[in-house]
Amino acid sequence: MGPLEQSPLHRSDAGDEMRLVARIRAGDQQAMSELYDRYAKVVYAVSLRVLQDAAAAEDVLQDVFLQLWRNPDAFDASRGSLAAWLAVISRHRAIDRLRKRRPEVDIEDCVIAGGPDLRDETERALVIEKVRVVLAEMNPDQRKVLELAFFQGLTHTEIAEKTGEPLGTIKTRIRSGLQQLRAKFAG
Amino acid sequence: MKTHEQFADDLAVYALDELTGVERQELEDHLQSCAACRRELHALRGDLGLLGLTSSGPQPPARSKDRLMRAIAAEPRGVSLPDPAPALRRSLWAILVPTLAALGLLLFVVVLWRGNGLMKDQLAELGNRNQDQSIQLEQMNQELRLLTSPDAVHVSLNPQKAPKQPNGTAIFSPSQKGMMFMASNLGPVPEGKAYELWIIPSTGAPIAAGVFKPDDHGNAIMMDHKMPEGVEAKAFAITIENQEGSDKPTSPIVLMGAVS
């Protein structure tokens, strides 16, 4: 399989995303079904990677889509990618579940912006491959910090204890690692 | 307090929802007023989204979609809702409008009731202040009547032997049945001692008229004292006595003045 076939986004069309969200906002259940078909794998993959538990990841999948159905205005289609937004929301909800805590970030407050244009399905697949390349080429310590923070849900304090690095260094590595990803798509 | 630049690293941790406590509060306060940091936060979330999209794995179980669609069907809304019959809409309005009106009225009554309670408290406070001021005014009036009474007698008390030339003035009024005493340049009294004022009557033994201690500058004043009825004062004097007061003078006279 090539990278495009592996992408969970290969069925989406440019511009279709905003129309889909608009239909959901209008209460169209069929639109929600289409959205699920398009992005369920993204949400499930992030949740499963964080939780390492299929049943728990399935619960997060339900929770994320149900929240979007209840409050479609939480996502601002004019500012960022729905795929990226769902990935972030899924990660937050999975971490909440991992720590057995109430959701701390309201989906309305999770504003997302910038980054490459992900509306086109082919472009999205290319972007994901590019991000994977950036991660592979990244300093191993920096990549490890990002993975521990995002996918394993370790706090910066826990990462500092685990790696033996100063707290400030961990914070800086998280920020600069994310900015390295962004830099690849700048200009 | 952190500077703008010092929040840079915290932004990424906040985007991960891992910033807690004081650091979180400080950053949230800063974000309220810093558009640049808000833009960076949104961009960092976009970066996190890219990171999340690199996850790959199996398709979710087929039952998940059925479960979701059932849940959504149980929460219909918007255009997918069947259009309610006009009669039903009218009946809904018929219920909704009076209910909202009643709730509004209830809210209005609660606001009025609370406002009334606050006003009552303020009125009670004003009443108390008014009472205090009335008492103070009455005391001042009594002192003024004493001072301006036609039969008020001013008696100057002069030093007998003291080198600092202390002096005192007694003012009394038989009609007002009151007296005042003021003194200055008085020397300090020993521990446990105080000055005692004496009314020297025309006949009989001196009558104790109160004890007092001067301030650090040697000044003293006694106000609102009663003048014993039926006593014809021929002089006033002060001596140093025990601070509890004495029935009769036991020490040399410090100041003395005759009623002219």
Side-chain angles (χ1 to χ4, degrees):
Chain A
M1 279 190 185
L4 297 184
E5 291 169 304
Q6 288 176 341
S7 166
L9 313 171
H10 64 281
R11 282 170 291 173
S12 59
D13 300 314
D16 191 39
E17 189 171 282
M18 290 183 76
R19 286 195 296 274
L20 205 54
V21 173
R23 283 169 59 200
I24 291 170
R25 196 173 287 122
D28 186 340
Q29 295 180 22
Q30 179 56 35
M32 198 66 199
S33 172
E34 291 174 30
L35 190 85
Y36 179 91
D37 290 339
R38 195 170 292 181
Y39 293 128
K41 192 174 178 182
V42 171
V43 175
Y44 189 68
V46 172
S47 306
L48 191 59
R49 187 162 174 189
V50 171
L51 291 163
Q52 301 291 309
D53 180 326
E58 201 181 326
D59 286 342
V60 171
L61 176 69
Q62 293 289 316
D63 180 47
V64 168
F65 278 98
L66 204 51
Q67 283 194 49
L68 185 60
W69 171 252
R70 288 169 179 162
N71 188 9
D73 289 325
F75 171 67
D76 184 353
S78 66
R79 300 187 64 180
S81 150
L82 179 57
W85 185 77
L86 284 169
V88 173
I89 294 292
S90 306
R91 182 266 176 191
H92 286 341
R93 289 292 176 267
I95 297 292
D96 290 337
R97 191 177 180 88
L98 195 67
R99 296 186 183 158
K100 296 180 172 59
R101 68 184 185 190
R102 293 170 60 84
E104 294 206 343
V105 177
D106 195 292
I107 61 170
E108 285 181 331
D109 297 329
C110 191
V111 180
I112 197 167
D117 186 354
L118 299 174
R119 288 173 299 180
D120 179 81
E121 174 266 333
T122 307
E123 283 296 319
R124 263 200 306 273
L126 290 173
V127 164
I128 290 171
E129 282 308 304
K130 204 168 179 179
V131 172
R132 285 178 177 149
V133 169
V134 174
L135 286 172
E137 293 175 350
M138 193 177 278
N139 176 299
D141 290 337
Q142 188 133 34
R143 184 174 63 241
K144 185 180 178 184
V145 166
L146 279 184
E147 287 180 351
L148 289 173
F150 189 85
F151 291 111
Q152 294 192 29
L154 267 63
T155 66
H156 54 294
T157 308
E158 289 168 338
I159 296 171
E161 288 170 0
K162 189 180 180 78
T163 62
E165 299 275 3
L167 203 58
T169 303
I170 300 301
K171 283 184 179 180
T172 303
R173 280 191 173 158
I174 293 172
R175 178 171 67 102
S176 63
L178 292 173
Q179 287 177 336
Q180 278 183 46
L181 295 183
R182 194 188 314 168
K184 283 289 177 184
F185 303 100
Chain B
M1 190 165 179
K2 285 185 177 177
T3 63
H4 173 82
E5 288 73 22
Q6 288 173 305
F7 285 113
D9 284 342
D10 284 346
L11 277 174
V13 182
Y14 183 79
L16 284 160
D17 191 30
E18 299 295 355
L19 202 65
T20 56
V22 176
E23 285 184 315
R24 186 186 185 97
Q25 188 59 54
E26 283 180 348
L27 179 59
E28 286 181 342
D29 291 344
H30 177 69
L31 285 169
Q32 296 285 328
S33 59
C34 183
C37 279
R38 284 199 299 274
R39 281 196 299 273
E40 176 63 9
L41 173 65
H42 299 164
L44 284 166
R45 286 204 185 107
D47 302 334
L48 289 174
L50 292 177
L51 189 60
L53 287 172
T54 61
S55 300
S56 59
Q59 288 285 351
R63 64 174 181 274
S64 286
K65 185 176 180 184
D66 296 336
R67 184 179 156 196
L68 177 69
M69 297 314 292
R70 279 198 305 275
I72 285 171
E75 296 184 25
R77 58 175 174 74
V79 295
S80 62
L81 279 171
D83 191 25
L88 177 59
R89 282 207 298 267
R90 278 198 299 275
S91 65
L92 280 173
W93 278 109
I95 295 168
L96 202 58
V97 169
T99 304
L100 287 174
L103 283 172
L105 187 60
L106 182 63
L107 185 65
F108 182 65
V109 169
V110 168
V111 169
L112 277 181
W113 177 74
R114 292 194 63 185
N116 188 38
L118 285 171
M119 287 182 72
K120 278 182 177 174
D121 292 343
Q122 288 172 346
L123 275 173
E125 176 64 21
L126 284 172
N128 289 337
R129 284 189 198 170
N130 186 41
Q131 194 175 10
D132 292 344
Q133 287 177 349
S134 296
I135 292 169
Q136 289 175 0
L137 187 61
E138 177 56 27
Q139 287 176 345
M140 288 175 71
N141 281 336
Q142 284 177 1
E143 289 152 11
L144 192 61
R145 283 196 295 271
L146 170 66
L147 289 168
T148 58
S149 176
D151 62 346
V153 180
H154 293 225
V155 181
S156 292
L157 285 68
N158 297 308
Q160 301 297 295
K161 293 180 182 176
K164 289 184 179 178
Q165 298 183 338
N167 61 80
T169 302
I171 305 170
F172 70 96
S173 165
S175 65
Q176 297 295 321
K177 300 174 184 173
M179 61 168 289
M180 291 174 63
F181 177 74
M182 295 169 287
S184 56
N185 298 326
L186 292 172
V189 291
E191 188 70 31
K193 299 286 187 180
Y195 289 103
E196 186 158 12
L197 177 67
W198 302 97
I199 301 169
I200 315 294
S202 302
T203 56
I207 300 168
V211 293
F212 63 90
K213 287 186 178 180
D215 62 17
D216 294 340
H217 304 290
N219 300 318
I221 184 167
M222 288 202 306
M223 301 175 75
D224 197 28
H225 266 245
K226 297 293 179 188
M227 190 71 183
E229 283 189 37
V231 172
E232 185 182 348
K234 70 172 184 185
F236 288 82
I238 60 172
T239 59
I240 294 177
E241 306 292 345
N242 289 331
Q243 62 185 7
E244 295 80 13
S246 174
D247 293 331
K248 57 183 181 182
T250 61
S251 65
I253 292 172
V254 179
L255 291 175
M256 186 171 179
V259 178
S260 54

